[in-house]
């Protein structure tokens, strides 16, 4: 079975500061990993995904994430936070197969302070 | 393209009532799915479909029925609503459900069961 742990259900950063959202995974086989963003009253939107190619994955809106097998981590970063980044972010993992096997984390709400 | 649409946006039911949550997509996607989102639990898969006439259970199928008579539509039925089904429901679709396909989410239906 696979799982993800998102450290910190709420994260606050100042506008212009580094954004770091943490995700650690557990999987018995090489995983696929995802980050999704959910803006208020909207559905989830894919930010980026790792599918065993490059370990540094670049996504939309200036976000990127690095797959570190030794640390079982897939942390999401953005060099400079913008007010529009305020949202909830979900990490997700699957060992193989399709979306029916994806496990989501509980989410991290990002607050950006002016 | 409208993408993935869901109706209604909000619904309040009494215990024991039945209702159908509608989901439609206009992207000719074969794979469609239903998730529920609860605080502190991330998203959990209820049912999914890999094409018209084919459905299967996800992680939390009890209390829900689905059918897929057309490629475009994937309704979710609650036959006898219970307070435990109070949640936000998201429909999603992707080309074939493969992890190389991007999954698109609808805006959600917020359901309250009294």
């Amino acid at each position: 079975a696979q799982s993800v742990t998102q450290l910190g259900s709420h994260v606050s950063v100042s506008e212009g500061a580094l954004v770091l959202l943490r995700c650690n995974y557990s999987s018995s086989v090489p995983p696929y990993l995802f980050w999704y963003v959910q803006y208020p009253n909207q559905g989830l939107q894919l930010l980026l995904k790792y599918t065993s190619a490059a370990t540094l994955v670049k996504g939309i809106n200036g976000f990127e994430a690095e797959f570190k097998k030794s640390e079982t981590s897939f942390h999401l970063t953005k060099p400079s936070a913008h007010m529009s980044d305020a949202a909830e972010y979900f990490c997700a993992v699957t060992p193989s197969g399709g979306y029916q096997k994806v496990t989501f984390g509980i989410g991290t709400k990002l607050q950006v302070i002016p | 393209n409208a993408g993935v649409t869901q109706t209604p946006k909000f619904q309040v039911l009494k215990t024991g009532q039945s209702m159908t949550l509608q989901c439609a997509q206009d992207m000719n996607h074969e794979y469609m799915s239903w998730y529920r989102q609860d605080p502190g639990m991330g998203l959990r898969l209820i049912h999914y479909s890999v094409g018209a006439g084919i459905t299967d259970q996800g992680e939390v199928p009890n209390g829900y029925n689905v059918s897929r008579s057309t490629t475009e539509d994937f309704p979710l039925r609650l036959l006898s609503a219970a307070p435990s089904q109070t949640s936000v429901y998201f429909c999603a679709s992707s080309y074939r459900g493969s992890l190389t396909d991007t999954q698109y989410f609808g805006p959600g239906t917020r359901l309250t069961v009294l």
Side-chain angles (χ1 to χ4, degrees):
Chain A
Q2 71 276 8
S3 65
V4 289
T5 301
Q6 291 186 241
L7 299 176
S9 59
H10 291 81
V11 171
S12 294
V13 300
S14 298
E15 190 175 16
L18 171 72
V19 175
L20 171 61
L21 303 182
R22 300 178 186 273
C23 174
N24 288 90
Y25 70 90
S26 172
S27 178
S28 57
V29 296
Y32 283 17
L33 292 154
F34 307 82
W35 276 101
Y36 285 88
V37 60
Q38 184 180 31
Y39 298 103
N41 300 314
Q42 294 187 25
L44 275 69
Q45 179 183 2
L46 181 67
L47 270 179
L48 50 82
K49 62 182 176 183
Y50 167 77
T51 58
S52 75
T55 56
L56 182 62
V57 182
K58 294 186 184 297
I60 61 173
N61 301 338
F63 285 93
E64 63 181 37
E66 186 172 7
F67 173 72
K68 291 188 176 181
K69 183 178 179 181
S70 61
E71 299 177 8
T72 62
S73 68
F74 190 58
H75 300 332
L76 182 70
T77 61
K78 182 175 181 178
S80 177
H82 192 272
M83 295 299 295
S84 61
D85 294 327
E88 190 161 17
Y89 293 79
F90 292 89
C91 183
V93 64
T94 181
S96 63
Y99 283 106
Q100 57 268 36
K101 295 178 173 60
V102 175
T103 300
F104 285 84
I106 64 173
T108 297
K109 284 190 177 179
L110 176 66
Q111 179 186 20
V112 182
I113 303 168
Chain B
N1 285 352
V4 180
T5 58
Q6 293 182 238
T7 56
K9 289 188 177 180
F10 301 93
Q11 184 71 49
V12 179
L13 292 177
K14 294 181 179 179
T15 297
Q17 287 185 317
S18 64
M19 79 159 296
T20 300
L21 280 64
Q22 301 291 346
C23 174
Q25 52 89 13
D26 62 358
M27 297 175 281
N28 201 32
H29 285 171
E30 294 187 11
Y31 181 85
M32 296 185 73
S33 57
W34 278 100
Y35 292 88
R36 59 178 289 172
Q37 182 181 28
D38 301 293
M41 301 191 74
L43 274 75
R44 292 179 293 168
L45 182 65
I46 304 171
H47 285 284
Y48 65 94
S49 168
V50 297
I54 306 170
T55 64
D56 205 347
Q57 297 180 351
E59 181 184 357
V60 289
N62 292 343
Y64 307 95
N65 282 348
V66 293
S67 61
R68 184 104 176 264
S69 57
T70 67
T71 299
E72 295 78 17
D73 301 297
F74 190 43
L76 179 72
R77 282 182 288 275
L78 285 70
L79 297 179
S80 179
S84 61
Q85 294 179 303
T86 294
S87 187
V88 181
Y89 292 85
F90 289 99
C91 179
S93 74
S94 68
Y95 179 50
R96 288 191 175 180
S98 162
L99 293 171
T100 57
D101 302 329
T102 296
Q103 189 163 216
Y104 295 90
F105 285 80
T109 294
R110 189 173 297 271
L111 176 67
T112 301
V113 182
L114 303 176

